[in-house]
Amino acid sequence: MSGIDNGGSTPSPTNTLVTALLTDMYQISMTYAHWKNDRADDESVFELFFRKNPFGGEYTIFAGLDECLKFMAHFKFTQSDINYLKTIPSMKGCDDAFFDWLLQVDTSKVKVYAMRDGSVAFPRMPLLMVQGPLGIAQLLETTLLTLVNYPSLIATNASRMVLAATERREVSESLPAQCRQTPVCVEFGLRRAQGPDGGFSASKYAAMGGFVATSNVQAGKLLGLNVAGTHAHAFVQTYTGLEEVKGRTVTDNTEQGNGENVEILPKVLEYRHKLATDNPNFGTTNDGELAAFIAYAVAFPHNFLCLVDTYETLTSGLLNFVMVTLVLDDLGYVPKGIRLDSGDLAYLSLECAKCFASFAEKRPYFHNLSIVASNDINEDVLHALNKQDHAITVYGIGTNLVTCQAQPALGCVYKLVEVEGRPRMKLSQEIEKVLIPGRKKPYRLVGRDDRPIMDLLTGYDESEPQTNVRILCRHAFIERKRAAVTPSRVEPLHVLVFDHGKVVPEANRNLDQARVAAAEELQRLRPDVRRYFNPTPYKIAVTDSLFHFLHELWQSETPVPELS
């Protein structure tokens, strides 16, 4: 029986490199040892989880389950894979029958329970629980980890940046309209990402974390994401004078225009002359830059957004933008805004907004112009900007998002917790690395205010915690830490997502659903848990029964040293 989803209901993995061979060598070695010792078919349970939240925070957004399910639905070694494995020196002494077995192995006996994409997750709570024959469950480890670690890290990083961008202090009504808009975040990271797949994954999971658009056109096509982008400094630099745009026209889009093509340069120069009488800087802006903006308006009259810092932001780029937008407005178009890519972003954005406000009484579109800010923005920069007045309406974030410079890895692990019905545990001198043994079920206990109180692990055979019933919740390793909780609601965190080679229909969320779920779950968290500075640790607990079981097994598994 093949575990491959032959019906075609589950798409293949997005990345063609995601195959059975995308694994660490020691997974193959261990599987051979299990097979050689007649243990490959032993029933096992593995848990995939992380031990510490990233970025110094107290939450993580789980992401990547969709690709895990695609991988498992199509898991299969090809004859080409087997031929290659036979050439590896450490495998040359292996029985030929093992390679025949590998050709037949699939996920038809595997079940997976998991949180759904976009779930807010916490340390030690299993993101996935894999149940199946030891041989195949071992072979899944590395690939599942690589499909979860980076996506979850990106989604979490993105969500933190969105929170930082949107949780602004109150601003004065006397400030320009742009100052009172809630900023949004756009992902600009493809050129700085770790390769094409890193760039694509970043676009995808940044969207799950709340980013509203990407510059990555391929991601836009494959994922249905909004695609955003304007021009670079190089476009402005290609123009040196106004003669280069003589004769260029834009169609009159007004009711009175009758679709007539109007030469744009003379109209711009009329406004230049008129505006220079009150502000001489309008008459001395860089002509090459003005020509570039005219050329861009000719190409994109419906989507006119310009990068204004090629030469001098306030006395050239901003003013050139204003002159061209006035003509576009006369011709029935609505300009979009500007982008700032250098300098003091808070100050420059405010000055630009004040300039817009001076025209807004007669030209209302100035109230709605976007002010996009880029230039190595990270979470610290966002919080710093929130401490001062600014008029930024869109953040374009690239390097610090897609490379996760603040923390380059999440550190998910995949651990055996049960084999043939026998709980297994890993001991360590470091308490945080001690494994909670046995198959378990995770729940979220919710209070009367609809905010989560804590997450609770129960033994698999324990009854589900009950609403409005007192539950003794214990720290897994510290005896004195315990609390009684009476939840108003109990939420099971795992659902069956993969059942004997098949993805369970509707078990997971699509990208839009995961994005909405992540935002909603974050808002339900107490503000002190999700805050940037000194967040309050979210509590993770075990039941009293699981606590005693853990410590009894811990004692029995720990060797007793002989002292003399």
Side-chain angles (χ1 to χ4, degrees), residues 50 52-54 60 127 148-150 152-153 407-412:
F50 59 92
K52 186 177 181 180
N53 289 303
T60 298
L127 305 175
V148 168
N149 264 309
Y150 181 67
S152 298
L153 192 70
Q407 181 176 324
L410 176 56
C412 286

Side-chain angles (χ1 to χ4, degrees), residues 5-16:
D5 190 349
N6 289 317
S9 58
T10 301
S12 298
T14 302
N15 189 329
T16 56

Side-chain angles (χ1 to χ4, degrees), residues 377-392:
I377 292 172
N378 60 26
E379 198 175 352
D380 287 334
V381 170
L382 292 169
H383 283 286
L385 286 167
N386 283 342
K387 293 180 180 178
Q388 54 194 306
D389 290 329
H390 71 77
I392 297 165

Side-chain angles (χ1 to χ4, degrees), residues 55 152-161 379 400-402 404:
F55 311 116
S152 298
L153 192 70
I154 283 288
T156 305
N157 199 21
S159 74
R160 291 175 62 86
M161 290 181 175
E379 198 175 352
N400 292 288
L401 171 67
V402 305
C404 294

Side-chain angles (χ1 to χ4, degrees), residues 69-89:
L69 296 176
K70 294 174 186 177
F71 161 66
M72 289 185 292
H74 294 273
F75 182 90
K76 190 71 177 174
F77 285 98
T78 67
Q79 185 62 59
S80 175
D81 295 337
I82 299 303
N83 293 343
Y84 169 70
L85 289 174
K86 288 181 177 180
T87 70
I88 297 175

Side-chain angles (χ1 to χ4, degrees), residues 254-273:
T254 63
E255 291 183 4
Q256 300 80 17
N258 296 318
E260 177 186 356
N261 290 329
V262 177
E263 187 177 356
I264 192 170
L265 176 59
K267 299 287 186 182
V268 170
L269 293 179
E270 286 179 20
Y271 276 114
R272 189 182 212 183
H273 177 74

Side-chain angles (χ1 to χ4, degrees), residues 111-166:
K111 295 177 73 172
V112 178
Y113 296 83
M115 295 184 184
R116 297 191 290 173
D117 275 331
S119 297
V120 172
F122 301 98
R124 291 192 174 277
M125 301 303 287
L127 305 175
L128 286 84
M129 184 188 72
V130 179
Q131 175 188 349
L134 183 58
I136 178 61
Q138 191 71 71
L139 288 169
L140 298 175
E141 175 180 356
T142 298
T143 318
L144 294 180
L145 286 170
T146 198
L147 292 174
V148 168
N149 264 309
Y150 181 67
S152 298
L153 192 70
I154 283 288
T156 305
N157 199 21
S159 74
R160 291 175 62 86
M161 290 181 175
V162 169
L163 286 177
T166 56

Side-chain angles (χ1 to χ4, degrees), residues 45-62:
V45 179
F46 286 81
E47 290 178 349
L48 190 154
F49 60 95
F50 59 92
R51 297 188 177 104
K52 186 177 181 180
N53 289 303
F55 311 116
E58 287 299 333
Y59 75 85
T60 298
I61 302 295
F62 172 47

